[in-house]
Amino acid sequence: MVHEWARRGLAFAVASFVVLTAGAAHAATGDDIFGSVDDDGLQTSGLGKGELNKLGSKTHNAANASSTPPWYQYGSSSFCSNTPPGASGGSDPSCTAEFAVCNPTGASGGASGPAVRVWQREVDRTGQPIAGAAWREIGWTCLSSLVPGATNVLTMQMILNEFHDTVFAKPTASIQPVGLKTLVNLPTYYELKWPEAGFEPGEADTTTLVGRRVEIEPVFVSATYIYGDGEASGPVESLGGPYPTGDVIHTYRQRMIAPVQINVTYSGRFRVDGGAWIDIPDTVTIEGTASNLEVAEAKARLYNNG
């Protein structure tokens, strides 16, 4: 049986190739797994931004038809396997390492990764592989979209964009005493509740990016409880709770209508084609739905029952 991730995986390998001159070839060091850091703060191994751009600038075409052989074509495949691009029966699985080895955001704020393996093989003047020429791995890079001829490459930036486009659940406040009424000087208890709408922690939003199945799951980081009287608690990691065990408690000192609101900060995690879950290096804060809490004042009265 052919699994879905195996079928989709071939879309991740670079299927289009570019004919390049021999001067573009570059051998990776191989012994420094984390590689060097380029001027954008992105980690690379052997093949950095400048080197990849140099490969692309040496494309063999009509403009430089006078160049001499040998020529090469380049492609990429998943960092998680040693399968060359387009190999029969090969697969392109996702793994934690392809993101873990890359700087997830970079000094300039641009997301890098996943890491890909870069391959080279010799071609003739027409761009057809020379008989007997096999793919040879020449290194790997976190700048997958800069590999010459790269198309339909899943990038970390795509995943971050999808994370920020997720419809997160807007938290609501469950309050005791119930009925949205409490009293001055009476301890009031708050509990964070998730509504039906939107994705809450533990629920995954599934989408397809460049032919790959990507799941994004919110992760609760903290909550800020806004009591509506100018005071707040947080950010805290507590979800609160009901009387008498809840640990988010506030006491009002005067009569008022208090707009109570809970704001939540989410991080997230994702996985590709059913692979391992990987942390998303970003957060988002969602404002909760406000509830108007009536704060009344109780007054003692003497009654004559005689």
Side-chain angles (χ1 to χ4, degrees), residues 1 8 16 18 37 47 68 72 77 110 114 139 146-147 155 157 168 172 183 185 195 216 232 239 262 265-266 270-271:
M1 181 175 67
R8 293 180 181 273
S16 60
V18 180
V37 179
L47 296 174
T68 57
Y72 298 96
S77 67
L146 296 185
V147 176
T155 68
Q157 189 62 59
F168 296 99
T172 59
L183 296 174
N185 296 325
I216 294 177
L239 298 178
I262 305 175
T265 296
Y266 295 104
F270 73 96
R271 64 180 178 181

Side-chain angles (χ1 to χ4, degrees), residues 78-164:
S78 171
F79 182 79
C80 308
S81 78
N82 289 320
T83 304
S88 176
S91 63
D92 222 350
S94 178
C95 63
T96 304
E98 66 181 340
F99 292 92
V101 299
C102 297
N103 183 331
T105 56
S108 62
S112 67
V116 294
R117 298 179 185 273
V118 182
W119 301 76
Q120 171 199 68
R121 69 176 172 183
E122 190 173 353
V123 297
D124 60 22
R125 184 179 293 274
T126 67
Q128 297 301 309
I130 290 177
W135 284 110
R136 180 174 70 91
E137 184 181 349
I138 62 169
W140 62 270
T141 182
C142 290
L143 307 176
S144 51
S145 62
L146 296 185
V147 176
T151 58
N152 294 330
V153 176
L154 178 64
T155 68
M156 190 65 195
Q157 189 62 59
M158 292 180 187
I159 293 169
L160 285 177
N161 291 343
E162 195 67 27
F163 170 67
H164 283 280

Side-chain angles (χ1 to χ4, degrees), residues 22-290:
H26 178 86
T29 59
D31 34 337
D32 183 7
I33 189 169
F34 294 107
S36 59
V37 179
D38 70 10
D39 54 6
D40 278 342
L42 305 177
Q43 290 183 331
T44 61
S45 180
L47 296 174
K49 177 186 288 186
E51 291 161 305
L52 291 171
N53 286 340
K54 185 183 296 184
L55 295 183
S57 70
K58 294 181 178 295
T59 303
H60 178 77
N61 51 34
N64 63 350
S66 60
S67 62
T68 57
W71 299 283
Y72 298 96
Q73 63 179 193
Y74 290 82
S76 66
S77 67
S78 171
F79 182 79
C80 308
S81 78
N82 289 320
T83 304
S88 176
S91 63
D92 222 350
S94 178
C95 63
T96 304
E98 66 181 340
F99 292 92
V101 299
C102 297
N103 183 331
T105 56
S108 62
S112 67
V116 294
R117 298 179 185 273
V118 182
W119 301 76
Q120 171 199 68
R121 69 176 172 183
E122 190 173 353
V123 297
D124 60 22
R125 184 179 293 274
T126 67
Q128 297 301 309
I130 290 177
W135 284 110
R136 180 174 70 91
E137 184 181 349
I138 62 169
W140 62 270
T141 182
C142 290
L143 307 176
S144 51
S145 62
L146 296 185
V147 176
T151 58
N152 294 330
V153 176
L154 178 64
T155 68
M156 190 65 195
Q157 189 62 59
M158 292 180 187
I159 293 169
L160 285 177
N161 291 343
E162 195 67 27
F163 170 67
H164 283 280
D165 287 342
T166 298
V167 179
F168 296 99
K170 293 186 175 182
T172 59
S174 175
I175 304 172
Q176 286 187 319
V178 298
L180 290 178
K181 292 184 178 180
T182 190
L183 296 174
V184 173
N185 296 325
L186 177 70
T188 302
Y189 288 73
Y190 307 83
E191 183 177 7
L192 190 157
K193 294 289 188 179
W194 310 109
E196 290 293 326
F199 292 91
E200 65 183 75
E203 294 180 346
D205 183 13
T206 302
T207 188
T208 300
L209 298 175
V210 293
R212 307 195 73 181
R213 184 172 183 266
V214 178
E215 296 171 78
I216 294 177
E217 183 179 291
V219 174
F220 175 76
V221 175
S222 65
T224 298
Y225 295 80
I226 302 171
Y227 301 121
D229 61 351
E231 297 189 31
S233 296
V236 296
E237 296 181 3
S238 174
L239 298 178
Y243 171 85
T245 57
D247 59 354
V248 179
I249 307 166
H250 181 65
T251 301
Y252 295 90
R253 300 304 180 188
Q254 62 183 23
R255 296 175 57 188
M256 65 183 304
I257 299 297
V260 176
Q261 181 175 317
I262 305 175
N263 297 339
V264 166
T265 296
Y266 295 104
S267 63
R269 61 179 191 162
F270 73 96
R271 64 180 178 181
V272 179
D273 297 333
W277 286 102
I278 301 166
D279 291 337
I280 292 175
D282 206 351
T283 60
V284 63
T285 298
I286 302 297
E287 294 186 355
T289 302

